[in-house]
Amino acid sequence: MAKKSRPCVICANWKMNKTIQEAAEYVEKVLPEVQKTKSTAMIAVPFTAIRPCADLVKDSKLHIGAQNMNDATDGAFTGEIAGRMIKEAGAEFVILGHSERRNIFKETNALINRKIKRALDCKLNVILCIGETKAEHENNQVEHVLKSQLTECLQDVPAELLVSTLILAYEPVWAIGTGLSATPEIAKRAEEICRLVITDLYDSDFQNQLPIIYGGSVNVENASMYLEIDGIDGLLIGNSALDPVSFAKIIALS
Ligand code: PGA
């Protein structure tokens, strides 16, 4: 693989999959491969699996995180979970703005912005997901969508708080769970747009250190193609990463 200026990040997003027992079996299977890699390996697990997985990865190079959190510290929000709760349970990071949260649970950029601020308050690292829908893609609105998502999600969040805590995941919605992965050209163009917007919002120093990863129907066969792209610093993987053997193989490719 071509030499990169930033460390490579490989993150699994389990979504609503795996019981505590299944999670533990998975983590034990991938740990040997994770220990060998120079990349940063992460798994976003269901809330119930955070504590058991965090205990299992103690003193290893595998990082455990959550897939969502509420923007409040506590209160009357039946069924919700606070950042400080997932932090206490052992999460090191949280995925925010995933398209399934945006589309199914109607999360707005404004809400995601509040969640990012709360997550940083709780000393959680953030993987911020952005990406256009199929219709937006077909109507040439990629630049506009990425710009407004980034601007609104990061509003009033100073660079000092985001250095080494933020990872940006470009996930075209039409590629998530569909088997329709983006071409390297599409991923590269989105990465370039993101870097321009981030330079505009902050500065080029901050942009230079910001990891930008790709997600959307990544698998063992196509992972290397994305990892080769200059400026793309890793992968966010759903379906293919449910199998520990596939996840370990992708880590080995990185
Ligand atoms: P997928 O999911 O790899 O199944 O497309 C990616 C994601 O939702 O982060």
Side-chain angles (χ1 to χ4, degrees):
M1 209 180 66
K3 183 115 181 61
K4 304 258 182 172
S5 54
R6 290 168 292 268
C8 183
V9 176
I10 306 291
C11 183
N13 174 13
W14 283 354
K15 311 192 179 186
M16 199 176 72
N17 293 289
K18 301 199 189 292
T19 60
I20 293 173
Q21 191 182 330
E22 289 161 353
E25 284 167 11
Y26 179 112
V27 166
E28 269 159 12
K29 281 196 187 128
V30 299
L31 266 179
E33 195 58 55
V34 170
Q35 292 305 90
K36 284 191 256 164
T37 184
K38 286 200 180 68
S39 300
T40 304
M42 309 163 84
I43 310 177
V45 306
F47 298 128
T48 46
I50 295 174
R51 169 51 63 200
C53 289
D55 286 345
L56 281 174
V57 305
K58 220 160 163 249
D59 305 320
S60 84
K61 286 162 56 183
L62 185 55
H63 302 273
I64 298 298
Q67 303 163 17
N68 178 38
M69 56 175 266
N70 191 272
D71 61 316
T73 44
D74 47 33
F77 302 105
T78 302
E80 287 292 284
I81 194 151
R84 60 199 198 96
M85 296 170 183
I86 57 174
K87 175 75 184 179
E88 185 194 41
E92 291 179 72
F93 72 96
V94 59
I95 294 178
L96 295 175
H98 190 280
S99 66
E100 283 149 21
R101 300 294 318 170
R102 292 175 187 265
N103 298 332
I104 306 170
F105 301 100
K106 306 295 170 218
E107 292 196 7
T108 61
N109 289 329
L111 174 60
I112 296 160
N113 175 247
R114 294 198 298 277
K115 290 188 179 198
I116 291 173
K117 289 173 179 163
R118 185 67 65 204
L120 296 171
D121 266 1
C122 297
K123 304 275 176 281
L124 287 159
N125 293 339
V126 172
I127 298 183
L128 170 61
C129 298
I130 56 170
E132 79 286 359
T133 61
K134 190 165 188 280
E136 289 162 343
H137 189 80
E138 286 168 355
N139 292 321
N140 281 324
Q141 290 174 313
V142 178
E143 190 169 348
H144 169 76
V145 171
L146 297 181
K147 189 172 179 178
S148 51
Q149 287 178 338
L150 282 170
T151 309
E152 291 169 34
C153 290
L154 295 174
Q155 194 179 342
D156 299 326
V157 189
E160 305 86 82
L161 294 184
L162 295 174
V163 175
S164 316
T165 59
L166 178 70
I167 294 170
L168 208 58
Y170 169 62
E171 295 208 306
V173 180
W174 48 270
I176 295 177
T178 57
L180 286 173
S181 54
T183 61
E185 291 73 28
I186 291 173
K188 177 65 191 163
R189 180 164 173 263
E191 178 265 337
E192 284 174 350
I193 294 169
C194 291
R195 294 204 180 276
L196 283 175
V197 176
I198 291 290
T199 303
D200 244 27
L201 293 176
Y202 298 96
D203 55 36
S204 61
D205 280 355
F206 176 65
Q207 175 278 116
N208 254 322
Q209 64 76 48
L210 181 68
I212 300 184
I213 64 179
Y214 169 79
S217 297
V218 173
N219 55 42
V220 179
E221 284 71 42
N222 66 18
S224 296
M225 173 175 89
Y226 296 109
L227 293 171
E228 290 292 337
I229 303 172
D230 183 40
I232 297 271
D233 304 308
L235 304 165
L236 180 54
I237 314 153
N239 247 328
S240 292
L242 287 178
D243 170 22
V245 177
S246 300
F247 188 53
K249 276 190 188 157
I250 296 174
I251 292 173
L253 291 170
S254 69

